[in-house]
Amino acid sequence: MAASVPASGSASGSGDGEGAWGDGLIARRVDENAGPEQFAVRPSRPAGSSAALMPLAYDGQLRSRLDALRELVGLSRTRLDSGTLAEAGRVLDEASARRRLSGQHTVVAIAGATGSGKSQLFNTLAGVTISETGVRRPTTAAPIACSWSDGAGGLLDRLGIPGRLRRRPLQHPDADSPLRGLVLIDLPDHDSAAVQHREQVDRILALVDAVVWVVDPEKYADAVLHERYLRPMAGHAEVTFVVLNQVDRLPGEAAEQVLDDLRRLLDEDGIPLGEYDEPGATVLALSALTGEGIGELREVIGQFVAERQAPARRIAADVDAAAWRLRPVYVTGRRTGLSEEAREEFADRLADAVGATAAGEAAERAWLRNANRACGTPWLRLWRWHRDRREPPTGRISLRAQADEEATARQRVEQAVRTVSDRASAGLPVPWAQAMREAAVRGAQGLPEALDELAVRTGLPPGRPPRPGWWPVAVLAQASMTLLQVVGGLWLLGQIIGFLPPNLGVPVLLMVAGIIGGPFIEWSCRIAARGPARRYGHEAERLLREAAAGCGRARVLDPLAAELLRYREVREQYGRVTGAGAAAR
């Protein structure tokens, strides 16, 4: 729908009063006996005699839908391109513009193909020859307006119809007219060879409150009419009239047959017919030339105008059309969201990348080494120290292996981010799925480095490793065994050098007890230390897993959750736009 175009020929002081009409008070009247056309001038109504015009008021549901559409557009500007939101923005602009204008007038356009007789129908309804008719094609070169009551100047300014093309009907004073409040527009031919004519038709059809499509027995099935206009406007059936003109040319029952075929074509176009008190398009057969069916059309239009619901119905239909065009970018038939299982899998992948399991195993081994050092025999500790001094340490990672390990860890992080973003975007419309992936990519920047820093900082639990209550006892017992060996050895040495009397039994017994007791205590402590060491390793692994999960949550999962929340907000607004309680899933 095109934007409003200001009237190029409006008289000075145009507005809702008579001044906007220029020469519009002059209505043409053809007197075939008199020859040339004559003009009848009706006196204008005094400026203060008519009640002040009331602007159009939308009901609560339509206002709510428009507010939701405005909120929807605002929330979507950073996710959808301007072209996708252009139609919705235009509907909001036109709804706002129409609301500020008269709610006591209904603008109805008469549209049709070349030779369909729409100008003749326009003149018949007006009761005076206003729009030219004839065999020259196209006859109507510019839209002409006829208003049955005062105050339609603003509406016609919005349509861009200049004052020289605004007319008033000759018959029926304002107060007595059954069509009071009607503003009738005669449009150029929609199939005109002149491009500017077709452009005017498209522009004004997007702004009027209702349309009367005039078809004739020859062109009622024209593909251009159905494919370009009727089918796309199927949602506007309640503000659509389809008139089969020139039925006087059809013999016998041919008029009913053509009318039935017209109804069939409209049904194929998806246009519901307003029959049996159901909402839909009104289909009538008439002859503008003979007057057959004109009274019925005038009565139907009069009732339609008197209801003063056409502008709101048109806006509601425009909102429906805009919502339908936006449906693919807001609604899918699949469930959306990030499951707890996907979150846990992402955390596990990050923990594997940062080496949480290996860190836990290293912490467990470190605890066991501390236990062995504290509870082992001094001779064994001395031998191990000597061995470590003489032999190079084993298990060192070369620089190349370390670089390969870092590359593998980075690949694991990237794979984890891709997996979780794919799961989070599954089931989302394309723009929102793309936004999810972009959010995940942004969050993944610097994530491997942050995880490496966490691995260094959170490798082991803070403080000294906890020691069980039996550890001091074991250390004292090991010291006692060592003391027994020393005492026994010194006793034997004293006997050998003659310093002490010979008595091999006691010192040998002391030495054997120390030699056997020391390794036994060490073995017992190693068995007893397995449980605490395992718990210490699990604690180290848990801390590193939690740190990695927290880092991944802050950098990746939280941005994904924010995008999902934004999508749910727009989906809820879309549900309000469509009139549903909640957005379709």
Side-chain angles (χ1 to χ4, degrees):
M1 191 180 293
S4 302
V5 177
S8 59
S10 299
S12 176
S14 63
D16 290 342
E18 296 288 345
W21 292 88
D23 64 342
L25 292 177
I26 303 176
R28 298 183 181 182
R29 179 173 58 185
V30 177
D31 187 343
E32 296 179 354
N33 298 327
E37 291 183 348
Q38 300 177 350
F39 299 93
V41 182
R42 291 178 53 242
S44 62
R45 179 185 300 272
S49 60
S50 59
L53 292 175
M54 296 295 293
L56 179 64
Y58 299 141
D59 60 23
Q61 182 179 7
L62 182 55
R63 286 200 307 271
S64 177
R65 295 181 64 193
L66 289 171
D67 291 342
L69 183 59
R70 188 173 294 105
E71 184 72 15
L72 182 68
V73 171
L75 290 172
S76 305
R77 290 192 186 280
T78 58
R79 298 295 176 265
L80 304 179
D81 59 271
S82 58
T84 303
L85 298 173
E87 178 64 15
R90 183 202 57 77
V91 170
L92 290 172
D93 292 341
E94 296 303 338
S96 179
R98 182 64 181 90
R99 183 181 59 83
R100 291 191 295 267
L101 299 174
S102 172
Q104 302 175 17
H105 291 81
T106 301
V107 183
V108 180
I110 297 183
T114 303
S116 61
K118 56 182 179 56
S119 295
Q120 191 173 37
L121 177 61
F122 179 82
N123 293 334
T124 302
L125 290 174
V128 62
T129 301
I130 297 177
S131 186
E132 295 182 4
T133 62
V135 296
R136 180 174 62 87
R137 299 289 182 260
T139 302
T140 306
I144 300 175
C146 181
S147 176
W148 269 256
S149 58
D150 300 338
L155 292 169
L156 296 177
D157 288 342
R158 179 171 175 255
L159 298 179
I161 299 178
R164 59 185 176 81
L165 296 178
R166 304 178 187 185
R167 303 288 188 267
R168 296 292 297 276
L170 182 64
Q171 302 174 351
H172 299 296
D174 287 350
D176 302 331
S177 173
L179 299 180
R180 176 175 172 80
L182 173 64
V183 180
L184 198 61
I185 311 294
D186 184 22
L187 297 179
D189 304 329
H190 71 76
D191 59 350
S192 173
V195 177
Q196 61 270 26
H197 293 180
R198 299 197 301 270
E199 291 176 348
Q200 288 190 76
V201 171
D202 294 343
R203 178 180 61 83
I204 293 182
L205 284 179
L207 300 175
V208 296
D209 301 327
V211 184
V212 176
W213 287 101
V214 181
V215 298
D216 60 68
E218 295 178 355
K219 295 184 179 180
Y220 73 92
D222 180 48
V224 174
L225 171 65
H226 288 269
E227 294 177 5
R228 184 175 179 182
Y229 294 102
L230 293 179
R231 196 167 300 162
M233 298 291 288
H236 296 69
E238 290 189 62
V239 291
T240 300
F241 298 82
V242 182
V243 172
L244 177 63
N245 193 19
Q246 304 176 9
V247 294
D248 56 294
R249 297 167 49 192
L250 299 175
E253 297 180 355
E256 286 296 331
Q257 294 175 358
V258 173
L259 194 62
D260 289 341
D261 193 46
L262 175 60
R263 291 192 178 99
R264 178 187 63 80
L265 292 174
L266 294 175
D267 183 67
E268 292 178 357
D269 291 335
I271 299 177
L273 303 181
E275 299 176 343
Y276 311 107
D277 295 330
E278 295 181 357
T282 301
V283 182
L284 297 173
L286 52 81
S287 172
L289 180 62
T290 64
E292 178 184 353
I294 294 297
E296 182 181 2
L297 176 61
R298 183 178 284 110
E299 180 181 354
V300 170
I301 292 180
Q303 182 179 358
F304 180 77
V305 172
E307 292 175 354
R308 296 182 179 175
Q309 295 297 317
R313 290 175 184 172
R314 172 60 194 261
I315 295 299
D318 287 345
V319 172
D320 289 338
W324 179 254
R325 292 188 183 97
L326 291 174
R327 181 178 177 83
V329 299
Y330 290 117
V331 179
T332 62
R334 300 172 58 186
R335 292 183 59 86
T336 60
L338 196 58
S339 64
E340 191 63 30
E341 179 183 358
R343 294 173 179 271
E344 292 177 357
E345 182 178 346
F346 177 67
D348 291 340
R349 287 175 179 267
L350 293 185
D352 292 340
V354 82
T357 302
E361 293 174 351
E364 181 178 353
R365 290 193 299 269
W367 203 96
L368 287 175
R369 283 197 301 270
N370 289 336
N372 290 336
R373 289 170 182 172
C375 303
T377 63
W379 321 118
L380 185 59
R381 292 201 303 272
L382 182 63
W383 176 79
R384 288 171 179 169
W385 174 82
H386 178 68
R387 183 191 62 181
D388 293 341
R389 288 290 304 274
R390 291 188 59 183
E391 298 178 2
T394 59
R396 288 185 178 178
I397 301 177
S398 64
L399 294 178
R400 180 176 179 84
Q402 185 176 5
D404 292 341
E405 181 65 24
E406 290 179 357
T408 302
R410 180 178 294 273
Q411 292 174 357
R412 289 178 180 176
V413 172
E414 293 174 352
Q415 179 63 29
V417 172
R418 283 196 300 269
T419 301
V420 75
S421 66
D422 289 342
R423 291 195 175 187
S425 59
L428 291 175
V430 174
W432 303 98
Q434 181 63 26
M436 293 289 288
R437 296 188 185 97
E438 292 174 356
V441 170
R442 289 193 301 270
Q445 295 177 356
L447 181 58
E449 292 77 7
L451 291 176
D452 290 340
E453 183 179 352
L454 281 176
V456 175
R457 188 172 65 250
T458 323
L460 293 175
R464 297 182 59 184
R467 297 185 178 186
W470 51 263
W471 196 324
V473 178
V475 172
L476 181 62
Q478 191 65 262
S480 300
M481 294 300 103
T482 302
L483 182 62
L484 289 178
Q485 295 178 51
V486 171
V487 171
L490 292 176
W491 196 333
L492 285 178
L493 181 61
Q495 293 181 12
I496 292 174
I497 64 177
F499 183 75
L500 293 174
N503 186 5
L504 296 176
V506 176
V508 170
L509 182 61
L510 291 177
M511 289 186 64
V512 170
I515 293 172
I516 297 176
F520 178 77
I521 292 174
E522 182 179 356
W523 175 80
S524 300
C525 291
R526 183 176 300 174
I527 297 299
R530 288 179 180 177
R534 189 179 299 112
R535 288 191 295 271
Y536 182 70
H538 288 171
E539 179 67 10
E541 180 180 356
R542 182 188 66 81
L543 290 175
L544 192 52
R545 282 182 176 274
E546 290 181 353
C551 184
R553 181 172 56 252
R555 289 176 173 266
V556 178
L557 294 184
D558 287 350
L560 291 179
E563 288 294 335
L564 283 172
L565 180 61
R566 189 183 187 93
Y567 169 70
R568 291 191 177 99
E569 289 177 356
V570 299
R571 190 176 62 178
E572 180 181 353
Q573 294 299 327
Y574 181 81
R576 292 179 57 198
V577 171
T578 59
R585 294 182 180 270

